[in-house]
Amino acid sequence: MKFAYHIALFATFASIALGASQFFGLNYNPKRPDGSCPNVYQVQDDLKVLRPYTNRLRIYSVHDCNQGEPVLRAMENTDWKVELGLWVNKNDAVFEADKKELLRLTQYFNFAKQVSAVVVGSEAVYRKEQTAEQLAAKIRNVKQALANVGLASIPVTTSETWPTYYQALINEVDFVNMHGFPFWEGVSIDKANDKMFQHIYDLQAAAKGKKVVVGETGWPSAGDHYGAAETGMHNAQRYLQQFVCRAARENIEYYYFNSFDQSWASTNNASNVEGHWGIVKSDYVTPKFAEPIYSCN
């Protein structure tokens, strides 16, 4: 009976893998639905759910919940790659703790195989917790720290919203990692993707040849509307389809926001849309959308 169960489970994942819609990458926070910290076995379960969609993830901190270690451990001996985040806010001790943990992890894991980039901060300038110059100095600091342990080849960047990706940051990063959410600009779904790609083009012009990657974009499937931007399953899937297909045509790399609906996230933000950005429901198992999620024909 147990053997038959495992055969059925394998067949289910195999069929999903053959038919699932593909993403260049996904944003991921391994905290559990109740907000508790993950263990390696739970991360392994998450990777099984997400593998039909992608083999690239981005996390936001290696020190928060000590999540860097279970994520890297779960990805060992697989084709998964991860962008490791270092959290940055106005308290520099938070950044230093993340950097210390990053360097500890370099002693135990094959960064050259598993780590696609290190992302120093996420919207710290946008939140006015760092100036562009302060954040640029942290990027240089991390580059030097990686070089000191023989990992100068790992790209280092930061994530900022399109209007706060200032030239001081563009000059310092190995590639531009931008966030763009037409929903939060109050743009209607009819105009949302044109608005998003205009932001990409503007940053490409400012980057003067450096690659521009979309580190976050998406559309919430539930919650309050914001100006002309209306939430809902139809609009969430429409934005996803139009963005993913256009990004593929234009060879733009991206990490879609988000892997899972995060019920814990809505308790940390005044907006009631925060728990509704995922492509998988808040049980971390059930796909939100029927396949195919998108079609680029």
Side-chain angles (χ1 to χ4, degrees):
M1 191 71 174
K2 183 182 289 186
F3 176 76
Y5 167 78
H6 285 298
I7 290 292
L9 185 64
F10 175 81
T12 299
F13 277 117
S15 64
I16 292 172
L18 290 173
S21 301
Q22 297 294 298
F23 294 80
F24 180 85
L26 293 169
N27 287 278
Y28 171 63
N29 191 317
K31 288 182 180 179
R32 309 325 298 159
D34 63 0
S36 61
C37 297
N39 60 49
V40 65
Y41 305 107
Q42 292 168 323
V43 176
Q44 286 174 335
D45 288 342
D46 292 347
L47 297 187
K48 290 175 185 176
V49 172
L50 296 174
R51 184 60 189 86
Y53 302 106
T54 190
N55 67 339
R56 300 181 187 93
L57 296 178
R58 170 198 173 188
I59 66 172
Y60 291 80
S61 170
V62 294
H63 183 255
D64 179 36
C65 268
N66 292 319
Q67 61 186 264
E69 181 159 359
V71 168
L72 287 167
R73 187 71 67 194
M75 290 182 174
E76 278 187 313
N77 303 313
T78 73
D79 66 345
W80 278 101
K81 291 187 178 295
V82 62
E83 289 189 344
L84 296 177
L86 308 185
W87 193 252
V88 176
N89 59 22
K90 57 188 174 184
N91 180 3
D92 282 353
V94 172
F95 162 71
E96 292 295 339
D98 253 299
K99 187 182 73 170
K100 181 179 179 180
E101 177 65 3
L102 177 78
L103 294 175
R104 187 188 72 83
L105 293 171
T106 66
Q107 303 174 55
Y108 300 101
F109 296 97
N110 186 348
F111 269 46
K113 180 179 183 294
Q114 293 180 262
V115 179
S116 55
V118 172
V119 184
V120 182
S122 182
E123 301 186 1
V125 175
Y126 168 76
R127 294 192 305 272
K128 302 186 186 304
E129 294 175 345
Q130 295 279 302
T131 66
E133 291 73 21
Q134 288 171 327
L135 186 55
K138 288 179 171 59
I139 295 166
R140 286 193 298 273
N141 182 290
V142 171
K143 284 183 176 182
Q144 186 60 57
L146 289 172
N148 290 345
V149 293
L151 291 171
S153 62
I154 302 289
V156 179
T157 187
T158 189
S159 287
E160 277 296 331
T161 59
W162 57 270
T164 53
Y165 223 116
Y166 298 122
Q167 198 65 46
L169 298 176
I170 293 172
N171 293 343
E172 200 60 54
V173 296
D174 291 317
F175 64 92
V176 173
N177 203 43
M178 66 163 284
H179 293 178
F181 289 93
F183 176 83
W184 288 122
E185 296 180 68
V187 176
S188 72
I189 192 64
D190 294 331
K191 300 176 181 178
N193 262 275
D194 283 341
K195 175 68 76 172
M196 178 63 191
F197 276 83
Q198 188 57 58
H199 298 326
I200 295 171
Y201 302 150
D202 290 344
L203 266 179
Q204 285 175 332
K208 298 177 181 177
K210 283 189 179 179
K211 180 169 67 175
V212 174
V213 175
V214 175
E216 284 184 7
T217 195
W219 198 276
S221 59
D224 291 337
H225 305 325
Y226 190 78
E230 297 185 359
T231 61
M233 287 286 288
H234 175 76
N235 283 353
Q237 188 166 8
R238 180 179 172 185
Y239 181 82
L240 185 158
Q241 164 153 324
Q242 292 177 345
F243 174 82
V244 168
C245 293
R246 189 165 170 180
R249 288 197 305 271
E250 300 188 20
N251 295 313
I252 293 170
E253 298 174 7
Y254 64 90
Y255 286 75
Y256 204 78
F257 190 84
N258 203 1
S259 296
F260 301 127
D261 278 353
Q262 296 172 333
S263 52
W264 57 268
S266 60
T267 65
N268 297 336
N269 192 293
S271 169
N272 65 3
V273 305
E274 289 303 316
H276 303 288
W277 298 84
I279 64 167
V280 176
K281 293 182 179 181
S282 59
D283 61 3
Y284 289 24
V285 175
T286 308
K288 183 185 289 186
F289 306 103
E291 288 289 351
I293 301 177
Y294 64 85
S295 174
C296 297
N297 294 333

